[in-house]
Amino acid sequence: MVHHREATGATMKDVAEKAGVSTATVSRALMSPEKVSAVTRQKVEDAVTAVGYSPHTLARNSKRSESRTILVIVPDICDPFFSEMIRGVESVAAAVGYLVLLGDCAHQNQQERSFLDLMLTRQIDGMVLLGSQVPFDSTNEEQRALLPMVMANEFAPELDLPTVHIDNLTAAFEAVNHLLRLGHSRIACIAGPQDMPLCQYRLQGYIQALRRSGIAVDPHYIVRGDFTFDAGSRAMQYLMALPEPPDALFCHSDIMALGAMSEAKIMGLRIPQDISLIGFDDIELSRYSDPQLTTVSQPRFEIGREAMNLLLEQLQGKTVNSGSRLLDFELKIRGSTAPSLRDENAR
């Protein structure tokens, strides 16, 4: 059996097009054949032979020795938000025999050097960044050219990397719009760190939604947090002590929303009767709170999967254009948001 196409590095996409099925189906036919029909399996197998796709000789034609190892840089390993993305990366990597290493960026300074060494000594073949932090000097062109890299979840246009994420601005806009439609007008925002692009987009969405409804943006209503439970609870204390406290809250993450919710309960506030809360991310915990958290759901597994696929394309020597691949978000409406009571009294 001759793989004529191997030099050109046939991809799963080529197989999918040839077989007339989706890449997901190709992956399923190859990974768990029992899950697809015999007809489909045959189609995929014929296409594999026709285009010369061979997952395990993926990068045999690459010029350098490869470690078949990739590094995933995680902004904070303790944050449950990233687990599904890592699973997505892992599912694709495992299917093609790659090992995934995790690097935690939160305690990054002493590690910067060692990440760079891994690259220089070719102990890793590529990197997936799950945040906007690059583990070395990103202005240094030579360092940038060292390794194929993909950014997932975050978006930093100046880095010029292939990127997979959701439209954070529109998602935030829709979340705040949900609160506005429920009749809330005093809507505060517990925002994430200023230096994270995704927080800037989410804040922008909040501001645009209020302006669209003719509501003035009150700077006291915007509190910065660091994506921790404590940050949410501190922000809540501050907001509720204002002369005119908010009656609804848009949080840049579920964890901060859960912190705010717990603080609200300590203060004797009822959710959603006294204050409506909306989170962001749809981490698993958001369904375990009482009431369950209304939130913006990100396709975190798909984000990880797509990022790893883009990295594999680069490792196969394909040119992957930089810029965004946008995936869809979904507003999950649960029990933590309800119509404004003031609104009903006014009627």
Side-chain angles (χ1 to χ4, degrees), residues 138-160:
S138 52
T139 54
N140 179 330
E141 282 298 317
E142 285 158 25
Q143 289 188 10
R144 277 275 304 286
L146 275 176
L147 260 205
M149 261 185 284
V150 174
M151 182 172 278
N153 169 49
E154 184 55 285
F155 178 55
E158 68 285 354
L159 285 174
D160 210 30

Side-chain angles (χ1 to χ4, degrees), residues 284-305:
E284 201 155 346
L285 283 172
S286 62
R287 295 203 317 277
Y288 300 143
S289 65
D290 177 29
Q292 293 186 333
L293 193 59
T294 296
T295 185
V296 174
S297 175
Q298 299 203 55
R300 293 174 300 143
F301 185 82
E302 281 70 34
I303 289 175
R305 206 170 52 187

Side-chain angles (χ1 to χ4, degrees), residues 195-216:
D195 59 351
M196 289 178 68
L198 62 83
C199 296
Q200 295 163 18
Y201 291 115
R202 287 175 198 176
L203 189 58
Q204 214 37 58
Y206 162 80
I207 290 170
Q208 285 183 21
L210 293 184
R211 286 200 180 134
R212 173 77 57 91
S213 292
I215 295 170

Side-chain angles (χ1 to χ4, degrees), residues 151-322:
M151 182 172 278
N153 169 49
E154 184 55 285
F155 178 55
E158 68 285 354
L159 285 174
D160 210 30
L161 293 174
T163 306
V164 187
H165 59 109
I166 64 163
D167 178 348
N168 281 287
L169 195 151
T170 306
F173 181 90
E174 287 191 13
V176 176
N177 226 16
H178 172 62
L179 295 170
L180 289 162
R181 277 200 302 269
L182 291 171
H184 296 285
S185 56
R186 298 206 307 263
I187 302 171
C189 175
I190 301 183
Q194 218 144 355
D195 59 351
M196 289 178 68
L198 62 83
C199 296
Q200 295 163 18
Y201 291 115
R202 287 175 198 176
L203 189 58
Q204 214 37 58
Y206 162 80
I207 290 170
Q208 285 183 21
L210 293 184
R211 286 200 180 134
R212 173 77 57 91
S213 292
I215 295 170
V217 177
D218 179 349
H220 294 107
Y221 272 9
I222 299 172
V223 194
R224 290 277 173 190
D226 59 1
F227 285 131
T228 59
F229 188 89
D230 285 348
S233 97
R234 280 197 305 274
M236 190 63 162
Q237 289 171 355
Y238 163 82
L239 289 167
M240 285 306 160
L242 290 171
E244 201 176 2
D247 60 0
L249 201 46
F250 164 58
C251 305
H252 281 194
S253 79
D254 286 348
I255 293 278
M256 293 197 293
L258 294 172
M261 183 186 282
S262 131
E263 194 57 43
K265 288 180 177 170
I266 293 170
M267 294 173 171
L269 295 170
R270 296 163 309 158
I271 298 163
Q273 296 88 330
D274 300 322
I275 188 159
S276 277
L277 278 172
I278 203 162
F280 207 109
D281 293 335
D282 195 21
I283 59 173
E284 201 155 346
L285 283 172
S286 62
R287 295 203 317 277
Y288 300 143
S289 65
D290 177 29
Q292 293 186 333
L293 193 59
T294 296
T295 185
V296 174
S297 175
Q298 299 203 55
R300 293 174 300 143
F301 185 82
E302 281 70 34
I303 289 175
R305 206 170 52 187
E306 179 70 6
M308 186 64 205
N309 277 325
L310 287 178
L311 190 60
L312 280 179
E313 286 189 18
Q314 292 183 63
L315 291 171
Q316 292 163 355
K318 289 220 175 38
T319 351
V320 175
N321 61 341
S322 61

Side-chain angles (χ1 to χ4, degrees), residues 37 43 68 96 100 135 170 173 224 269 329:
S37 69
K43 259 199 256 175
R68 298 196 78 76
V96 290
V100 175
T170 306
F173 181 90
R224 290 277 173 190
L269 295 170
F329 62 87

